[in-house]
Amino acid sequence: MLDQWLDMTLNDKAPPVYSGALASASYRLHAPGVLELVPDTRATNARACVFSAAVHGNETAPVELIGELLAAIEAGTLRLGAPLLVMLGNIPALRAGTRYITTNLNRLFKRGLDTAGSEPDRARELIARVDAFYARHSALPPLHYDLHTAIRESLYPRFAVVPYSSTPTAPEQWEWLAAAGIQAVLDQHCHSWTLSHYSRHYHGAQAFTLELGRVAPFGGNDLAALGPMLGLLKALAGGAIPARAPADTMDFFRVEREVRRESDEFCLCFADDTPNFTAFAPGTRLARDARTGDTVVDHTPLHVVFPNARVEIGARAALLATAAAPPNTKVE
Ligand SMILES: O=C(O)CCC(=O)N[C@@H](CCC(=O)O)C(=O)O
Ligand SMILES: [Zn+2]
């Protein structure tokens, strides 16, 4: 199943219907790169789990990780205990090994999106599949981990981005993520219309973007470092209670501002290889834009995350965050 699914997905050979049975589950391909697995027997603690990867086509470690998860289910070494929707987001970009083809898919997940184009079409497709999946399993708590890797090095190689939403994070998530090797948490301050934001905003899912290291080609990823994360994915797919670790093993940050590129004449005022979460002192100029002027650190040191001067005009070029206190992590 797995080899076929990846081959069909990467080589655009999806048949009209692709479904079947495994040792502990049945599976069905709903669309290219969108595979649902339903357990023969649902575990007591099951959640409706969405695991997505390749929303950016050059981020291959999460694809390899999900491949290992599916291989364990197919081999029968992992019994599926929860309904699972696995999605490979941007298949043309995955084939090309690029972040996206014409526009960043991970800013398009907003209901009512009416932009034309292949990536907006894919966003509408994935939105419909997520909606249908959570509707089919509406009796279960929704969960969505959207797996990414970062363009540059990070002072924290593995970190979670918490989408801005009225849905609070359940305290147990912090302990699961800490045990899964997540080192930092970045709390978003505004709607980002990312895929994880979609599931949290519209479905109240426990949803995060999980950054799992640095962008690398297939075969160039350090999957050993992602062993604990694979353990979390397997536990959730099995409907088991994941391992826990103290949440305060992670550092917490809150986004205060974002820098947007508003003109052709835009630059960041620090080296391209500056790692994510690098702190800059008050008074430091971080960016220059011909239309909006300078971005300068005001009274509190700011940590820069996802700096990228080569984004589309009007797009986010960096997040500026402050260190934050850990949230209430007492698990009732
Ligand atoms: O390394 C970078 O500059 C971007 C890595 C990446 O794709 N990150 C996600 C974060 C999504 C979020 O803010 O939740 C993205 O930029 O889409
Ligand atoms: Zn990404």
Side-chain angles (χ1 to χ4, degrees):
M1 173 199 78
L2 172 68
D3 294 344
Q4 283 175 301
W5 177 57
L6 281 179
D7 175 51
M8 286 189 302
T9 300
L10 293 177
N11 299 306
D12 201 12
K13 293 189 294 192
V17 176
Y18 177 68
S19 60
L22 300 169
S24 62
S26 58
Y27 64 86
R28 181 175 186 80
L29 187 71
H30 291 296
V34 182
L35 188 71
E36 180 177 7
L37 296 94
V38 178
D40 298 337
T41 309
R42 199 168 77 192
T44 309
N45 299 301
R47 295 157 187 269
C49 297
V50 180
F51 297 152
S52 47
V55 171
H56 295 121
N58 57 344
E59 301 174 6
T60 61
V63 178
E64 293 191 53
L65 207 62
I66 286 181
E68 293 207 15
L69 173 71
L70 293 176
I73 296 168
E74 184 175 28
T77 56
L78 172 63
R79 287 193 61 78
L80 191 71
L84 178 58
L85 187 71
V86 174
M87 304 198 301
L88 297 180
N90 195 334
I91 296 169
L94 187 56
R95 287 193 196 119
T98 60
R99 182 167 172 81
Y100 55 78
I101 302 297
T102 54
T103 190
N104 186 348
L105 177 60
N106 209 27
R107 302 291 182 272
L108 303 177
F109 294 99
K110 183 176 185 181
R111 284 180 178 167
L113 173 78
D114 57 6
T115 321
S118 60
E119 269 130 350
D121 287 344
R122 184 63 171 170
R124 286 183 281 266
E125 168 89 82
L126 297 178
I127 284 172
R129 299 301 171 183
V130 168
D131 290 351
F133 174 76
Y134 284 137
R136 276 194 296 276
H137 307 288
S138 56
L140 300 180
L143 176 140
H144 186 168
Y145 292 166
D146 182 34
L147 310 179
H148 288 247
T149 49
I151 294 169
R152 59 183 68 215
E153 292 297 343
S154 293
L155 300 182
Y156 303 91
R158 296 177 302 280
F159 60 98
V161 183
V162 184
Y164 177 81
S165 153
S166 57
T167 301
T169 298
E172 70 207 359
Q173 291 294 327
W174 305 128
E175 297 195 334
W176 297 357
L177 292 174
I182 294 294
Q183 298 154 310
V185 174
L186 181 67
D187 209 9
Q188 271 281 30
H189 71 317
C190 68
H191 293 295
S192 52
W193 311 113
T194 62
L195 181 52
S196 65
H197 173 276
Y198 182 84
S199 292
R200 188 179 279 248
H201 180 66
Y202 291 109
H203 291 282
Q206 291 299 305
F208 304 84
T209 297
L210 300 181
E211 299 289 346
L212 302 178
R214 191 172 183 191
V215 164
F218 279 113
N221 297 296
D222 174 12
L223 294 186
L226 299 180
M229 179 54 65
L230 181 58
L232 174 53
L233 301 182
K234 285 183 173 178
L236 288 166
I241 303 282
R244 293 155 69 166
D248 60 12
T249 56
M250 301 186 293
D251 286 339
F252 288 78
F253 296 85
R254 170 164 172 67
V255 178
E256 298 299 332
R257 302 163 59 184
E258 68 179 33
V259 179
R260 301 187 84 84
R261 177 185 179 189
E262 299 296 359
S263 74
D264 274 325
E265 293 164 61
F266 174 86
C267 67
L268 292 170
C269 306
F270 47 86
D272 250 0
D273 61 356
T274 302
N276 285 313
F277 292 97
T278 297
F280 289 92
T284 308
R285 185 176 64 202
L286 296 178
R288 302 207 77 162
D289 188 295
R291 208 162 77 74
T292 56
D294 290 353
T295 299
V296 178
V297 180
D298 45 23
H299 317 296
T300 314
L302 289 175
H303 300 257
V304 175
V305 185
F306 300 144
N308 182 355
R310 288 178 286 279
V311 293
E312 302 153 272
I313 291 179
R316 182 178 98 186
L319 295 174
L320 307 179
T322 52
N328 161 35
T329 56
K330 184 172 172 2
V331 179
E332 302 304 329

